[in-house]
Amino acid sequence: MQSLLLPLLLVLVLAVPLVMSSRKQKKQQAAQQELMSSLAPGDRVMTTSGLYGTVADASGDNTIDIEIAPGVVTTWLRLAIREKVEPVVETEDDVVDEVEAPAEEPIIESGAGIKDDEPQTTTAQVAPPLEHGKK
């Protein structure tokens, strides 16, 4: 009896993690399959490469069209969709008063010691990062 206990315990220690990992993998595959089948136009998604967009057309079997900017539609494999993302909704507390400006515009000095009365402006705009909840 003692000689059978050690090999049985060793097999049990090796078999339990294998069974548990295969169950976890099956659950992940089922969740991914359910996500792929539930995609519809208008859904906000994130790809595996981190690109955010809106589903434009989900009628293909293996591909899906995602609008990444107004008027810019790209075609992706369905398997490249990582998750659905809820759109960010701004509340009144989140809105920043952009109307406030300094009362007096600062005078910008150039490197040569000449004062410029007009402030330099740039046309570059930076979009705020999208937030999405992790499950």
Side-chain angles (χ1 to χ4, degrees):
M1 181 73 178
Q2 188 75 341
S3 63
L4 289 176
L5 186 61
L6 183 62
L8 184 63
L9 190 60
L10 187 62
V11 168
L12 188 64
V13 167
L14 294 175
V16 168
L18 288 173
V19 170
M20 296 303 280
S21 68
S22 68
R23 288 183 62 197
K24 182 179 177 183
Q25 193 174 27
K26 284 181 183 179
K27 285 181 183 179
Q28 288 176 343
Q29 286 176 344
Q32 182 73 12
Q33 191 68 24
E34 192 258 318
L35 171 69
M36 295 301 135
S37 63
S38 70
L39 290 175
D43 288 343
R44 187 100 173 115
V45 294
M46 182 178 77
T47 65
T48 54
S49 61
L51 182 82
Y52 291 89
T54 305
V55 176
D57 181 26
S59 61
D61 290 336
N62 295 327
T63 60
I64 189 167
D65 290 340
I66 300 176
E67 184 176 18
I68 57 175
V72 180
V73 178
T74 57
T75 302
W76 292 74
L77 287 175
R78 278 187 178 266
L79 295 175
I81 304 302
R82 181 177 180 182
E83 62 184 285
K84 280 187 183 179
V85 179
E86 296 299 321
V88 177
V89 178
E90 290 187 8
T91 62
E92 290 181 17
D93 297 337
D94 295 338
V95 177
V96 178
D97 290 335
E98 296 180 15
V99 180
E100 291 182 24
E104 198 173 301
E105 300 247 348
I107 298 175
I108 300 172
E109 291 187 27
S110 62
I114 301 171
K115 294 183 179 182
D116 297 327
D117 288 337
E118 290 192 27
Q120 298 174 351
T121 59
T122 61
T123 58
Q125 295 178 348
V126 178
L130 294 175
E131 298 292 328
H132 64 281
K134 294 287 181 182
K135 294 181 183 177

